[in-house]
């Protein structure tokens, strides 16, 4: 739809593309945002999933940014009011293969039901404004977080063990 900012963030890994639409108006509200997952099926890119912030609200900007590595997608919502106004959050989804060996049949399940958020919990801290994902490691940028100077910025490194992400 108009003004969704579809493509405002993108990520590609093999035959899977993630496209953020951070200004998408959803049931959660205006500019709550969303992310689309496309898979290459029979030589054609097909929408595989439409991801939403599980507890979203207006102006969360879910879908800015996005990252993908293999069977894992990370989606930022750096305007989310997780612990303070616009403190930000990150949500991780994992591919649920349907056993057919065909990407077209796969779905994406939320792995972080509570989301990931800043330990500094600073209003407008920008947690989740930048992401990088590789294997079982996720780097999350919070470019405006009190560490130790005001608006100095912080990078959080998470590691996954099973389905749990820890710093």
């Amino acid at each position: 739809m108009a003004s969704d900012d579809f493509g405002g963030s993108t990520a590609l890994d093999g035959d899977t593309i993630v496209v953020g639409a951070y200004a998408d108006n959803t049931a959660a509200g205006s500019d709550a945002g969303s992310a689309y997952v496309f898979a290459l099926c029979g030589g054609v890119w097909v929408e595989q999933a439409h991801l939403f912030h599980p507890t979203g609200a207006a102006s969360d900007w879910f879908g800015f940014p996005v990252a993908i590595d293999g069977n894992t997608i990370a989606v930022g919502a750096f305007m989310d009011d997780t612990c303070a106004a616009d403190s930000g959050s990150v949500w991780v989804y994992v591919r649920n293969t349907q056993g057919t060996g065909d990407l077209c049949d796969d779905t994406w399940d939320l792995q972080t039901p509570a989301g990931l958020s800043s330990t500094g919990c600073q209003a407008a801290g920008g947690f989740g404004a930048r992401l990088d994902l590789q294997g079982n490691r996720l780097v999350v940028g919070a470019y405006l977080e009190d560490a130790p100077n005001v608006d100095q910025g912080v990078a959080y490194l998470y590691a996954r063990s099973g389905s749990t992400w820890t710093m």
Side-chain angles (χ1 to χ4, degrees):
M1 295 183 73
S3 301
D4 285 352
D5 288 329
F6 180 86
S9 60
T10 59
L12 166 71
D13 186 43
D15 291 340
T16 307
I17 297 173
V18 184
V19 179
Y22 63 88
D24 188 8
N25 297 331
T26 71
S30 177
D31 296 338
S34 67
Y36 294 81
V37 183
F38 296 91
L40 187 59
C41 299
V44 177
W45 290 99
V46 176
E47 183 181 324
Q48 187 176 51
H50 191 184
L51 307 176
F52 298 94
H53 188 306
T55 60
S59 301
D60 279 348
W61 281 25
F62 180 85
F64 187 82
V66 295
I68 182 171
D69 186 51
N71 293 327
T72 307
I73 292 173
V75 181
F78 84 98
M79 298 292 286
D80 190 2
D81 298 338
T82 50
C83 57
D86 300 335
S87 56
S89 65
V90 173
W91 304 84
V92 180
Y93 295 81
V94 292
R95 188 186 312 263
N96 181 1
T97 59
Q98 301 301 306
T100 64
D102 184 358
L103 284 177
C104 303
D105 297 331
D106 294 347
T107 59
W108 291 86
D109 297 330
L110 181 64
Q111 188 177 49
T112 55
L116 304 174
S117 60
S118 164
T119 58
C121 190
Q122 177 178 326
F127 180 89
R130 298 293 184 262
L131 300 174
D132 198 5
L133 176 65
Q134 186 176 31
N136 290 325
R137 292 191 179 98
L138 172 65
V139 177
V140 179
Y143 70 103
L144 291 175
E145 277 197 23
D146 297 316
N149 301 315
V150 174
D151 297 343
Q152 178 178 335
V154 177
Y156 292 91
L157 176 61
Y158 289 87
R160 175 175 48 195
S161 177
S163 62
T164 304
W165 291 87
T166 55
M167 279 192 286

